Amino acid sequence: MTIRIVIVLLVGVFAGNLMPLEFAEKLNSISFILLCFILFFAGLTIGYTGDIKSHVRGIGLDLVMVPISTIIGTFLGSYIASFIIGLDYLECLLVGSGFGWYSLSAVMIAEYDQALGAVSFMSNVFREILALMFIPLVAKYIGFNEAVTLGGATSGDTTMPPLSKTTDTRTVIIAFFSGIVFAFVVPVSVEFLIALKYK
Amino acid sequence: MSGIIIYALIMVVGTWLGVKGVLKNKLLSKLPIIQEILILLLIFVMGVGIGKDENIMKYIFSLGVKAFVIAFFAVVFSIVIAHIYVKISRKFKGNK
């Protein structure tokens, strides 16, 4: 999926370079409708997952604290990064607030700032790649709960395979629940930060 | 700010319909494909937006470096905060 997305993005960049500006702007205006459909289907998928309660019973505080640690750590890391790369801290928080969900956050940001949208897309793809590369190492040398935090919003889908391979059932359930939490957290936090920055 | 409410509402309605099981199995099996097509369309539209902007194309490398730094710090600090939580919770459990 990631490779296909990168290819489609590159095709889009190439097409955008060639097509008349007017047509490109018209095309841009449909992104909000597409976003709404994607969120609707994401919600539908969560609803169909079945009895979430029975899966999460008995795990305790870790279930909530792992995604909360990811949120705090991501915002703290993004804030510190703003001093190194010379971007405004709110812009860095916006990029970080995608938590790896590049197909959603980058497009939401690009509606206001194309360049920051591009940074957001790349940053969230990098996060997924870093997660896929380092989950096995973090799980082995640091801890299972810590390994879940790498993927952020992707911990319930694309970064699940290395998690299920290198951790245990309990951690896989935490990762799955974390993915659900981020499905709600990402659109809300991105929109909130957009409101702070641009509105 | 109204965007937050719209997005949250759409997600909640989607989840509620999912829990209620309104979709037939046939359509349900096609859900991942529909989602992928929508995502690819959205990414294409975003690519068009980037492609038509000459400034982004000029600075794509430096933007990439910035993107990597943010991702790197976000990941490292997520691990650090989770590790602090794990240490504290183990200590707390140990004292019980």
Side-chain angles (χ1 to χ4, degrees), chain A residues 75-105:
Chain A
F75 282 138
L76 185 62
S78 305
Y79 180 72
I80 291 168
S82 73
F83 296 106
I84 297 163
I85 58 177
L87 272 181
D88 175 52
Y89 80 95
L90 264 179
E91 289 176 333
C92 285
L93 293 182
L94 248 176
V95 172
S97 68
F99 296 99
W101 192 356
Y102 44 81
S103 56
L104 182 81
S105 61

Side-chain angles (χ1 to χ4, degrees), chain B residues 11-81:
Chain B
M11 286 279 289
V12 169
V13 170
T15 309
W16 182 74
L17 289 175
V19 171
K20 290 278 163 198
V22 287
L23 280 189
K24 285 183 181 150
N25 277 347
K26 233 183 184 180
L27 199 64
L28 193 62
S29 62
K30 289 194 176 114
L31 216 57
I33 303 165
I34 297 169
Q35 274 178 301
E36 191 170 335
I37 292 169
L38 284 172
I39 289 170
L40 291 177
L41 259 174
L42 199 60
I43 295 297
F44 176 78
V45 171
M46 191 192 149
V48 169
I50 294 171
K52 75 175 163 68
D53 195 324
E54 283 174 11
N55 272 333
I56 298 177
M57 298 311 288
K58 229 194 270 178
Y59 301 113
I60 198 82
F61 181 74
S62 71
L63 293 179
V65 172
K66 285 176 180 169
F68 182 79
V69 173
I70 296 172
F72 180 78
F73 274 83
V75 162
V76 168
F77 278 88
S78 295
I79 297 168
V80 169
I81 299 292

Side-chain angles (χ1 to χ4, degrees), chain A residues 1-2 5 100-107 120-121 124-125 128, chain B residues 43:
Chain A
M1 179 73 175
T2 310
I5 280 178
W101 192 356
Y102 44 81
S103 56
L104 182 81
S105 61
V107 182
S120 169
F121 181 85
N124 285 299
V125 171
E128 188 176 289
Chain B
I43 295 297

Side-chain angles (χ1 to χ4, degrees), chain A residues 4 43 48 62 74 123 146 183, chain B residues 11 15 21 23 36 67 83 85:
Chain A
R4 248 175 287 175
Y48 266 102
D62 286 3
T74 299
S123 186
E146 290 89 332
Chain B
M11 286 279 289
T15 309
L23 280 189
E36 191 170 335
H83 194 61
Y85 157 68

